[in-house]
Amino acid sequence: MPRLFVAIDLPEEIKASLSQLCCAVTGARWVATSQIHLTLRFIGDVDPQTVSQIKKALSVVQFASFILRVAGVGHFPPRGFPRVLWVGLEPHPELIALQQRIESALQQAGVLPEARPFSPHITLARLKETPPAAVAAFESLHRELAYPPFTAAEYILYSSVLTPKGAIHRKEEVFRSSEEAASR
């Protein structure tokens, strides 16, 4: 069964720069440059029939291109032992609106609702037994992190296969903004 998620890709120059943040943080497993993205919705394992329903439902989600800006660093969970290092995004109402439209479309396709609230972030590393002091040092060092804005003009349905060397992501379908779709 395919394992799916919906995401916005980042410009290559931002991904390359983010991959340079990989530094000596004990217990960190860094995300490969090619796999850095903004997850809008993790779907999980679905049967092939549901995949086609998901594609059909996502194909009718309308949105206008909008500007995103990557800025700030942090970790999850906010209290307790850190499990994920992330880079944030400046709040943007169009991003939230797009994610809500995608969530609604997925539910119409039979996908169960997401239990957790959407928290826009880009995962940099997954942590295992990383001392909170090491995370605090990383966050302090990169507190002022910010990149030039970029235009989000599409989102992607990805499939993901887990392997011993990490996940392999494949684009299943690209969904473009109303302006992008009209210009093609």
Side-chain angles (χ1 to χ4, degrees):
M1 285 199 295
R3 183 174 182 259
L4 302 176
F5 65 94
V6 179
I8 292 176
D9 264 349
L10 304 177
E12 290 301 321
E13 57 274 10
I14 293 177
K15 290 198 281 189
S17 182
L18 288 174
S19 70
Q20 299 301 310
L21 298 179
C22 301
C23 58
V25 176
T26 307
R29 195 172 38 125
W30 298 92
V31 173
T33 305
S34 63
Q35 295 183 359
I36 294 174
H37 61 270
L38 166 60
T39 301
L40 297 174
R41 177 61 152 82
F42 178 75
I43 300 169
D45 295 324
V46 296
D47 61 72
Q49 181 180 343
T50 305
V51 173
S52 63
Q53 292 171 336
I54 287 170
K55 287 180 179 180
K56 184 177 179 181
L58 291 176
S59 72
V60 298
V61 172
Q62 296 290 311
F63 74 103
S65 299
F66 56 93
I67 301 298
L68 286 176
R69 186 163 183 259
V70 175
V73 294
H75 66 277
F76 292 131
R79 289 175 266 317
F81 229 70
R83 307 275 306 163
V84 172
L85 271 180
W86 52 259
V87 173
L89 291 110
E90 288 184 349
H92 197 292
E94 284 300 318
L95 174 62
I96 302 303
L98 174 60
Q99 193 279 332
Q100 289 171 343
R101 286 186 209 115
I102 289 169
E103 178 66 33
S104 178
L106 291 172
Q107 288 179 33
Q108 290 174 16
V111 175
L112 292 175
E114 175 60 64
R116 296 175 293 186
F118 179 56
S119 179
H121 69 281
I122 299 154
T123 299
L124 288 180
R126 288 173 179 74
L127 308 174
K128 187 173 184 178
E129 299 179 18
T130 301
V135 173
F138 176 86
E139 290 173 353
S140 177
L141 182 63
H142 300 291
R143 180 175 297 128
E144 302 299 321
L145 178 78
Y147 291 95
F150 69 95
T151 301
E154 64 185 29
Y155 66 91
I156 301 157
L157 176 66
Y158 278 99
S159 62
S160 178
V161 176
L162 300 178
T163 72
K165 293 184 178 183
I168 299 170
H169 299 163
R170 189 180 97 185
K171 289 182 181 181
E172 295 295 327
E173 191 131 351
V174 177
F175 303 93
R176 292 182 171 78
S177 68
S178 306
E179 308 92 13
E180 285 291 312
S183 69
R184 290 185 178 260

